[in-house]
Amino acid sequence: MSTSHAIRHIRITPIAFRDPPLLNAAGIHEPWALRSIIEIETASGLVGINESYGDQPMLEALAKAAPALVGLSPWALNDMEARVAALVTPPQLTASEFLGQQVSLAPGTHVSKTVAKVVSAFEVAMLDLQGQMAQAPIVDLLGGPARDRVPYSAYLFYKYAEHVGQPYAPDAWGEALTPAQLVAQARRMIDQYGFQSIKLKAGTLPPEQEAAGILALAEAFPGTPLRIDPNGNWTVETSLQIVQQLRGVLEYYEDPAPGLDGMAAVARECDVPLATNMVVTDFAEFRRNADMGCPVKIVLSDHHYWGGLRATQRLSTLCQTFDLGLSMHSNSHLGVSMVAMTHLCASVPQLTYACDTHYPWQDEEVVEGGRLQFEQGSLRVPTTPGLGVTLDRTALARLHDNYLHCGIRNRDDLGQMRKYAPSFTGHQPRF
């Protein structure tokens, strides 16, 4: 390796951007979503970028591992993984701590995912550098495109019109608490982005109301694939009652009941395939699902906590081996993360469902050129070197200033919900 290509510096910039009051099983989104922007610079001045989680534990883990990468080649991904693992592997969890991590709404917050998250954060930035050096898009480094555009799904939420305390002007989407408001939200999102499938984040209102919402969507958008995701907030009994009401309507049923055992109990009585981003979130959990006869039929991966783009490709091979479907989970994110996800999805022939994305809910951006443009619900795979996007330095400075002043350092949907409903516990399953 030429010394001019050695890594000489790593910058990690925490950012915050406006996030609407979206309801979920854990509570409600806070006014500001946290992310981090990672920049890896070589001695020759090339800069590879990435976007990842921005909570305090993640920032500390990134800062702890970053110095160990100085001097590495951008091609030395295996060496990077070994160095990260040596520095940020968490202490062994007790059984009760491990179970507590496993039932969390957001798998990316698990202590057990620390190594995978940090590896992924650095891997994408190093792949961006590799692509610039080879004059090839990242999808080519991953084996080449299986498709030239990646389909995404309209991701609907029940939501309030504005945040408590009015930290800024209300978002343009308005309130969505009734079936009619949900249909209006879907129509606006489909008209604007062209999505050809719909997912509803559920587990927030009484299940009968949410079932009515799905049925209203089925009537308003006949033939459109529909999914519902209660985030494990329904009992097995409730899960089975609701899926009976939705017979012939759902494309798949995502995380209705808590835990893999709960999902297996639903699967035994349900002919709709079950999907998850909560109970198969790493390779050990994949093995347990396989040992149980695969009650989960569709894995919703996320390269941010599965260990990166290459690790997710390995997951896709396992899904093919066990005849499982594959798609991608999403969290509040901006364009850098979105483009990395698009390269990955383009490289995976086994991708069988349109992917999740929160992108329409975000109205800020950190990449040059502003908001990414969807075509009939899909994003075109970049053909320029590396990720194919660069940072807007002015926007980065503005979003970093948001971080410095927003007062949030760890995501807390439960605490935010208690500002609206002080007695809310977040206990699952709630219904």
Side-chain angles (χ1 to χ4, degrees):
M1 178 196 72
S2 168
T3 55
S4 66
H5 292 313
I7 294 170
R8 72 174 176 186
H9 187 61
I10 297 175
R11 290 182 291 276
I12 300 158
T13 306
I15 62 173
F17 49 86
R18 293 185 295 271
D19 208 15
L22 307 178
L23 293 162
N24 59 44
I28 190 169
H29 285 207
E30 293 177 287
W32 301 95
L34 305 179
R35 299 292 274 179
S36 58
I37 298 298
I38 296 95
E39 300 176 73
I40 299 181
E41 184 176 347
T42 68
S44 63
L46 287 179
V47 178
I49 64 172
N50 190 24
E51 172 193 336
S52 188
Y53 303 100
D55 57 285
Q56 193 63 38
M58 181 63 172
L59 295 176
E60 291 171 358
L62 289 169
K64 187 173 183 179
L69 275 59
V70 173
L72 279 183
S73 162
W75 299 91
L77 296 177
N78 289 336
D79 200 351
M80 177 272 290
E81 290 184 11
R83 295 184 184 197
V84 167
L87 286 168
V88 303
T89 297
Q92 188 70 36
L93 298 178
T94 67
S96 61
E97 287 171 333
F98 179 77
L99 288 173
Q101 290 291 326
Q102 296 309 99
V103 299
S104 170
L105 174 65
T109 65
H110 297 175
V111 172
S112 62
K113 303 291 190 289
T114 300
V115 172
K117 291 189 298 182
V118 175
V119 164
S120 177
F122 291 137
E123 182 211 55
V124 173
M126 291 171 72
L127 286 170
D128 187 24
L129 283 171
Q130 291 178 21
Q132 294 177 53
M133 293 162 63
Q135 287 296 292
I138 282 180
V139 67
D140 284 359
L141 303 178
L142 298 174
R147 54 189 61 83
D148 64 3
R149 62 188 67 195
V150 172
Y152 290 90
S153 184
Y155 199 165
L156 309 185
F157 280 80
Y158 292 106
K159 66 182 294 292
Y160 296 145
E162 61 183 330
H163 282 288
V164 64
Q166 300 178 310
Y168 43 73
D171 65 83
W173 291 91
E175 181 186 82
L177 296 173
T178 68
Q181 290 173 320
L182 203 63
V183 168
Q185 183 186 108
R187 196 172 302 283
R188 174 177 176 173
M189 196 172 286
I190 289 171
D191 287 348
Q192 185 170 346
Y193 296 96
F195 296 124
Q196 298 180 30
S197 59
I198 299 173
K199 169 177 171 173
L200 172 61
K201 177 66 75 178
T204 65
L205 305 180
E208 295 284 342
Q209 290 181 231
E210 296 181 338
I214 285 286
L215 292 173
L217 291 167
E219 182 178 356
F221 304 95
T224 300
L226 301 176
R227 307 96 176 252
I228 188 168
D229 173 20
N231 272 134
N233 212 14
W234 295 348
T235 63
V236 171
E237 181 182 15
T238 298
S239 301
L240 292 172
Q241 289 173 351
I242 296 300
V243 81
Q244 285 299 316
Q245 297 177 33
L246 301 179
R247 287 185 69 85
V249 173
L250 295 179
E251 181 183 29
Y252 61 68
Y253 201 17
E254 181 181 344
D255 285 312
L260 189 52
D261 291 334
M263 292 282 279
V266 174
R268 286 193 289 270
E269 306 293 332
C270 173
D271 58 4
V272 178
L274 300 188
T276 189
N277 73 290
M278 294 182 70
V279 299
V280 179
T281 65
D282 58 30
F283 290 103
E285 292 176 351
F286 187 100
R287 177 175 179 172
R288 182 166 183 246
N289 184 54
D291 288 344
M292 295 175 66
C294 295
V296 169
K297 299 297 184 186
I298 302 161
V299 178
L300 305 179
S301 178
D302 186 325
H303 72 271
H304 299 90
Y305 63 75
W306 271 89
L309 309 189
R310 298 179 307 146
T312 310
Q313 284 190 312
R314 294 193 290 272
L315 170 65
S316 75
T317 301
L318 283 176
C319 287
Q320 184 179 38
T321 301
F322 287 87
D323 196 27
L324 302 182
L326 177 68
S327 190
M328 301 290 166
H329 159 264
S330 165
N331 210 321
S332 301
H333 60 159
L334 299 178
V336 179
S337 182
M338 192 78 192
V339 169
M341 185 177 174
T342 300
H343 280 285
L344 169 63
C345 294
S347 77
V348 177
Q350 296 86 3
L351 193 76
T352 41
Y353 297 90
C355 302
D356 295 349
T357 179
H358 284 62
Y359 195 71
W361 294 110
Q362 270 55 79
D363 61 4
E364 298 179 89
E365 191 46 278
V366 74
V367 298
E368 288 281 359
R371 305 272 302 162
L372 306 180
Q373 298 301 308
F374 286 80
E375 301 174 15
Q376 296 183 313
S378 297
L379 284 180
R380 285 190 176 273
V381 184
T383 57
T384 48
L387 276 173
V389 292
T390 56
L391 294 174
D392 179 331
R393 295 287 167 184
T394 301
L396 179 63
R398 182 176 65 253
L399 298 188
H400 178 58
D401 188 68
N402 287 347
Y403 174 83
L404 294 176
H405 293 96
C406 73
I408 298 172
R409 292 298 178 264
N410 293 286
R411 177 175 171 175
D412 184 8
D413 291 12
L414 173 61
Q416 183 69 9
M417 190 63 184
R418 285 176 174 160
K419 297 177 183 178
Y420 300 83
S423 63
F424 184 81
T425 66
H427 174 75
Q428 291 185 286
R430 185 177 172 210
F431 300 104

